[in-house]
Amino acid sequence: MSGYHVFGTVKEIGVDDTGLRDFHRLYFTYPLYRDDGLVFYNDFFGKRKIKLTTYNPFKLFKSYKEMNNRLRDKKLEGNMTGEGMIQGGVVIFDKMGQARYAYEEETGSPLDIEDILAALKAIRDE
């Protein structure tokens, strides 16, 4: 979709800079900004952290396997470096810079691209 500006925020540097450079070079070539103080994360996603969705070890293992299969199928590598507990998401701003839509990341689940595209189209058509 043309007519949109995309950027990303990162919460830390100096922990896995090689991984961050690889992410930027291979997967997300848009501008990245460091979010000092986690202001962006806290304002939009309310200090959300990863938490267990179940205490059933079989369900946890199944979810872990599904996530790893998705990563492998997309040829993505994960790592256990860095803070890793704070969750983010996607925020869409209108032309005036007002946040209009926030999609919260669910660790292990794919982004709902159709919802994100619908939000982009709705804001564009206003």
Side-chain angles (χ1 to χ4, degrees):
M1 295 187 70
S2 63
Y4 295 94
H5 301 282
V6 176
F7 68 91
T9 62
V10 296
K11 61 184 177 271
E12 60 191 359
I13 59 171
V15 177
D16 182 18
D17 290 342
T18 300
L20 182 58
R21 278 191 296 276
D22 287 347
F23 168 74
H24 188 251
R25 181 175 52 85
L26 299 171
Y27 307 112
F28 192 86
T29 58
Y30 304 100
L32 291 173
Y33 301 95
R34 185 174 61 176
D35 184 7
D36 286 327
L38 301 178
V39 174
F40 198 84
Y41 287 91
N42 294 338
D43 285 354
F44 289 104
F45 303 111
K47 302 179 183 181
R48 294 174 62 243
K49 292 192 175 193
I50 295 173
K51 51 189 160 233
L52 293 177
T53 57
T54 181
Y55 289 102
N56 180 327
F58 297 106
K59 286 184 180 181
L60 288 172
F61 181 73
K62 181 182 177 202
S63 295
Y64 177 76
K65 293 278 289 176
E66 289 171 353
M67 179 179 65
N68 280 336
N69 288 340
R70 253 193 343 276
L71 290 172
R72 186 190 68 239
D73 291 347
K74 293 181 179 199
K75 296 178 176 54
L76 297 173
E77 293 181 24
N79 66 38
M80 300 302 280
T81 306
E83 184 273 328
M85 294 297 290
I86 296 176
Q87 293 182 288
V90 175
V91 179
I92 299 173
F93 298 88
D94 64 17
K95 291 178 185 177
M96 302 304 291
Q98 298 296 312
R100 299 291 304 280
Y101 174 87
Y103 176 84
E104 295 180 346
E105 169 191 21
E106 291 295 330
T107 299
S109 298
L111 291 173
D112 191 335
I113 300 300
E114 293 302 318
D115 279 357
I116 294 169
L117 288 173
L120 287 169
K121 289 174 185 173
I123 291 170
R124 180 193 62 199
D125 294 342
E126 290 181 348

